[in-house]
Amino acid sequence: PSCCVGPALLSQVEASIEDAVTSATWVDVQTLLPPSFNDADCTQLLQQVLKGRGMGSHRVFQGSVVASDKFIDTCRGYFDELMKQKAEKDSKSSTMLLFVEEGSRKPPVVPDLPASDDTAAGGKGGKKDERRKKAAE
């Protein structure tokens, strides 16, 4: 830690976090702190403030942003329809997803691929057999 925190600043941070959690919003604690606080100081302060206090359900992002779970759920709700549309579009255009979805079908065979030397000569070891036959002649 490179800074000291007085009781006034500590109570301001606590109040801001409580307000964000109870009102289903978020707060960036870094904006409440003096510029001399670095990221590590902010993270340590947050850990200290949140430790052992019943601040409700929340999540911490990037070491300084505290968001209530209600806020996250609300945000997620805005994207539900969009995610369904994208999932449907991707499932219709992706051949791998079609294969997994249909399950019982065999994967499509690509006819333009040349056969490997082993399969062209009758399977594994086919080239050896050809050489033996030529040597025996």
Side-chain angles (χ1 to χ4, degrees):
S2 62
C3 301
C4 292
V5 178
L9 185 58
L10 192 61
S11 65
Q12 181 185 3
V13 169
E14 287 176 352
S16 295
I17 292 172
E18 284 180 24
D19 184 45
V21 171
T22 57
S23 62
T25 59
W26 62 275
V27 64
D28 186 354
V29 176
Q30 187 75 42
T31 60
L32 305 172
L33 303 175
S36 59
F37 278 68
N38 60 30
D39 293 340
D41 295 329
C42 183
T43 301
Q44 186 176 12
L45 176 65
L46 262 178
Q47 289 173 350
Q48 190 67 31
V49 168
L50 296 173
K51 183 170 76 172
R53 292 182 173 83
M55 294 272 191
S57 55
H58 62 277
R59 304 210 189 242
V60 178
F61 299 98
Q62 297 294 317
S64 68
V65 178
V66 179
S68 71
D69 284 346
K70 289 179 186 177
F71 176 76
I72 294 169
D73 290 340
T74 302
C75 290
R76 190 177 296 138
Y78 292 126
F79 294 100
D80 282 343
E81 187 60 33
L82 178 65
M83 293 305 293
K84 286 178 186 176
Q85 291 172 1
K86 288 194 175 279
E88 287 175 13
K89 180 183 172 189
D90 288 347
S91 69
K92 290 176 183 175
S93 66
S94 174
T95 56
M96 185 59 179
L97 287 176
L98 289 174
F99 173 68
V100 170
E101 196 173 273
E102 293 172 1
S104 62
R105 287 189 177 181
K106 292 183 179 181
V109 178
V110 181
D112 297 332
L113 293 178
S116 68
D117 290 339
D118 287 345
T119 56
K124 194 171 186 177
K127 279 191 151 192
K128 288 182 183 178
D129 292 338
E130 280 184 14
R131 279 189 239 134
R132 285 187 194 140
K133 287 179 185 176
K134 285 182 182 179
E137 291 176 356

